[in-house]
Amino acid sequence: MATRRALLLIADIGGYTEYMQYHRSMLGHAEAATRRMLDRIVDAARDFDLIEIEGDAAFLSRDAEGLDGAATLSAVTRAAVAMHHAFHTQRRLVELNLCPCQSCTQTSALKLKFVAHVGDVATQTIRRRKKLVGMDVIYVHRLLKNSVTVPEYLLVSDDLFLNGGTASAELVAQEVAQDLEGIGRVQTFYVDVEDMPAPLPPLPEPSFLLRIGATLDMVGRGLPHVLPRRRARSLAPAG
């Protein structure tokens, strides 16, 4: 199986499990809200290809052949900043739509974090679906379980950071050792998203028309989840 050099990036929504559990009574809107955010995250990473949506995370990749270390790390930081801004813009729009349910009005606890690595991957096709496989794919997923305490961050492997040259020098990064399951002890580096070198523009305040559109979209996306529950209740025997 042929391998190639690839830049691997995972954007993971923090607080997703608690959000879904707390708002399970309005599961349709909670699922619709996170799906909209994931859609915008993927759209914002223009130089990356979506490999898979993994629950509350988007796994993306791009070809790293021909990119030097600085260009590789810069590609990650640019994507992270763009995805972070797109996520919070959409989260704010969901929060301010006209639906009064708590699934819509209480999205402020949701955060976005990133992990990234560069390595060798192979492409595997199963039932016409392409997947990336290899030890480096496992590696980047293992990075999600870490000891970083800031709510929103970019965590990168040592290979990606130490070969980043001028791009590494621009980051206010902290070194942290990790024990990765099945891999062992490794060194990684993280930076708070707020300390990223690219500017983070202020979140735009959505217009009333945008809020109306967001409300209709949320209602439409939530109906497939709500209707089966109502039908099940109507068919339940009276007791």
Side-chain angles (χ1 to χ4, degrees):
M1 187 179 295
T3 62
R4 60 183 175 86
R5 192 78 168 163
L7 181 55
L8 307 173
L9 175 63
I10 300 176
D12 181 58
I13 299 178
Y16 174 85
T17 301
E18 294 81 359
Y19 174 74
M20 296 297 282
Q21 287 179 341
Y22 186 74
H23 302 297
R24 65 176 64 189
S25 62
M26 284 298 294
L27 183 60
H29 282 199
E31 191 281 333
T34 52
R35 180 62 53 176
R36 285 186 58 158
M37 295 173 211
L38 284 167
D39 284 345
R40 298 306 186 273
I41 289 168
V42 172
D43 289 343
R46 297 183 179 180
D47 295 329
F48 286 76
D49 297 319
L50 175 66
I51 304 303
E52 194 169 2
I53 295 294
E54 302 171 338
D56 56 349
F59 176 35
L60 305 106
S61 171
R62 64 165 290 178
D63 190 359
E65 298 292 344
L67 295 178
D68 62 21
T72 303
L73 185 56
S74 292
V76 169
T77 57
R78 285 196 306 271
V81 168
M83 295 164 81
H84 179 266
H85 187 260
F87 167 79
H88 280 291
T89 299
Q90 188 59 217
R91 183 200 58 73
R92 180 66 171 159
L93 183 56
V94 169
E95 185 179 20
L96 293 179
N97 89 76
L98 304 181
C99 174
C101 82
Q102 291 184 339
S103 293
C104 292
T105 59
Q106 296 185 5
T107 63
S108 58
L110 295 176
K111 306 297 181 183
L112 192 63
K113 54 190 177 183
F114 306 90
V115 296
H117 177 53
V118 61
D120 297 323
V121 301
T123 302
Q124 185 180 69
T125 302
I126 302 174
R127 294 189 178 184
R128 292 180 293 182
R129 291 187 62 188
K130 291 185 177 180
K131 298 190 70 173
L132 294 186
V133 296
M135 196 63 204
D136 288 304
V137 174
I138 296 172
Y139 192 108
V140 73
H141 282 84
R142 292 286 192 268
L143 291 177
L144 288 171
K145 293 185 177 181
N146 58 66
S147 57
V148 178
T149 57
V150 296
E152 295 189 307
Y153 59 83
L154 168 64
L155 175 72
V156 302
S157 62
D158 57 347
D159 286 345
L160 186 53
F161 184 82
L162 295 177
N163 293 317
T166 55
S168 298
E170 293 176 354
L171 296 177
V172 184
Q174 304 291 325
E175 186 174 2
V176 58
Q178 309 281 356
D179 285 307
L180 303 185
E181 180 184 354
I183 296 173
R185 195 164 184 80
V186 300
Q187 295 301 118
T188 59
F189 296 82
Y190 77 91
V191 57
D192 192 317
V193 171
E194 293 186 356
D195 293 332
M196 301 285 276
L200 289 173
L203 293 179
E205 194 68 16
S207 66
F208 184 72
L209 287 178
L210 276 177
R211 294 174 65 189
I212 289 288
T215 305
L216 294 175
D217 185 59
M218 289 295 295
V219 171
R221 291 182 185 229
L223 280 177
H225 299 269
V226 175
L227 291 178
R229 292 167 63 94
R230 289 184 176 175
R231 178 174 172 78
R233 286 198 298 268
S234 68
L235 295 176

